[in-house]
Amino acid sequence: KFTNFTIVMPLTFQTNVLTELRKWRLNFIEHHKLQMRQEKEKHAAHVRQLTNQMENLKELLHTYEISIGRKDEVVITNLTQALEMKKERIELMRKFTLWRIQQLKAKQEEYANRIADRQFQAALKKKVWTAWRSLSEERWKEKVAKACQLRAEDVCVQLTNDYEAKIAELTATLEQTKAEILRLHSEREQYEDTMKKAFMRGVCALNLEAMTMFQGK
């Protein structure tokens, strides 16, 4: 598992992960050894108890052997069967204790391997997530910059079109204003010319009337 991801993971990160896993494994092994030592002590105490029981049974057997001569065959057979049953029970208990210790050891090793694999998978997922997030942020920044550039270009084009339309409108208004000014100048000139003509006609009429009056006198 560690060899397959050597190319993906940096050497320092891989070394740190391996160091932490080794430390954790050593701690777990020490804890497992302590538990095994405790189980062995319990087993030794149980064996001592069974040994004491066997010694007691041996003494009882010795007592029974002493009294064999005074008892009949039925009593001897019953005592022998009871002793054999007791021995078988003690043997079964001893085997069961050993089997239980082996099962506990196997479960502890399986649990340790599962925890180590889980820690490795979590570290690997975190590494992949960090790389993916960094790449996503870079792509997001590029998309945002491109979108901003496109939006700025659209705004510039829109502003240019608006200003051109406004300039065209103002130009048309200016042309209309110029035409109106020319028209007003023309009307003013015509009005002035009309006024001059009317004034001249008035002067001529006064002159004629004055001449008529003077001729009459």
Side-chain angles (χ1 to χ4, degrees):
K1 291 183 178 179
F2 292 103
T3 306
N4 294 334
F5 295 95
T6 302
I7 299 176
V8 178
M9 300 171 60
L11 182 58
T12 304
F13 181 78
Q14 181 181 2
T15 304
N16 292 334
V17 171
L18 292 175
T19 304
E20 291 297 327
L21 289 177
R22 291 193 188 97
K23 290 181 180 179
W24 184 86
R25 185 175 179 82
L26 290 175
N27 292 331
F28 186 81
I29 290 173
E30 291 297 329
H31 180 69
H32 176 68
K33 287 181 179 180
L34 178 60
Q35 290 183 346
M36 289 298 296
R37 186 162 54 251
Q38 293 176 353
E39 290 293 331
K40 287 181 180 180
E41 290 176 356
K42 291 179 181 179
H43 177 66
H46 186 65
V47 170
R48 285 194 298 271
Q49 183 180 359
L50 294 178
T51 303
N52 293 330
Q53 291 180 0
M54 289 181 67
E55 292 296 331
N56 294 330
L57 291 174
K58 286 181 180 180
E59 292 178 359
L60 181 62
L61 179 61
H62 182 67
T63 303
Y64 288 158
E65 288 178 353
I66 293 174
S67 61
I68 284 176
R70 297 189 300 270
K71 295 186 180 292
D72 55 9
E73 294 180 356
V74 176
V75 174
I76 295 172
T77 302
N78 291 334
L79 292 174
T80 304
Q81 289 179 355
L83 182 60
E84 291 295 330
M85 289 177 65
K86 192 69 174 179
K87 287 182 178 180
E88 290 178 358
R89 183 179 178 184
I90 292 172
E91 183 65 22
L92 289 174
M93 291 179 66
R94 187 181 68 82
K95 291 181 179 179
F96 176 75
T97 303
L98 293 175
W99 175 81
R100 185 178 178 183
I101 291 173
Q102 292 177 356
Q103 291 295 321
L104 180 61
K105 183 178 179 180
K107 288 182 179 179
Q108 288 176 347
E109 290 180 354
E110 182 182 358
Y111 178 76
N113 292 330
R114 187 166 60 251
I115 292 298
D117 185 67
R118 187 180 301 172
Q119 292 291 333
F120 174 75
Q121 293 295 331
L124 181 60
K125 289 179 181 179
K126 185 177 181 181
K127 177 69 176 178
V128 174
W129 167 253
T130 302
W132 177 83
R133 184 177 180 181
S134 177
L135 182 60
S136 298
E137 289 180 353
E138 292 180 359
R139 291 180 178 176
W140 179 78
K141 289 179 180 178
E142 292 178 357
K143 290 182 179 179
V144 170
K146 188 175 181 180
C148 291
Q149 183 179 0
L150 293 176
R151 180 60 179 170
E153 291 177 356
D154 293 338
V155 171
C156 291
V157 172
Q158 184 65 33
L159 290 175
T160 303
N161 294 331
D162 293 341
Y163 281 125
E164 289 179 354
K166 190 69 174 178
I167 291 171
E169 182 181 356
L170 293 175
T171 302
T173 304
L174 180 62
E175 294 295 330
Q176 291 179 359
T177 304
K178 287 181 178 180
E180 184 68 18
I181 291 171
L182 292 176
R183 185 180 65 80
L184 291 175
H185 278 296
S186 178
E187 290 180 355
R188 181 180 177 181
E189 291 176 355
Q190 291 178 1
Y191 177 74
E192 290 178 352
D193 187 52
T194 304
M195 290 295 293
K196 287 180 181 180
K197 289 179 180 181
F199 180 75
M200 292 301 295
R201 285 195 299 271
V203 171
C204 291
L206 289 173
N207 291 331
L208 290 174
E209 186 177 356
M211 289 179 66
T212 302
M213 290 177 65
F214 285 134
Q215 289 175 1
K217 290 180 177 181

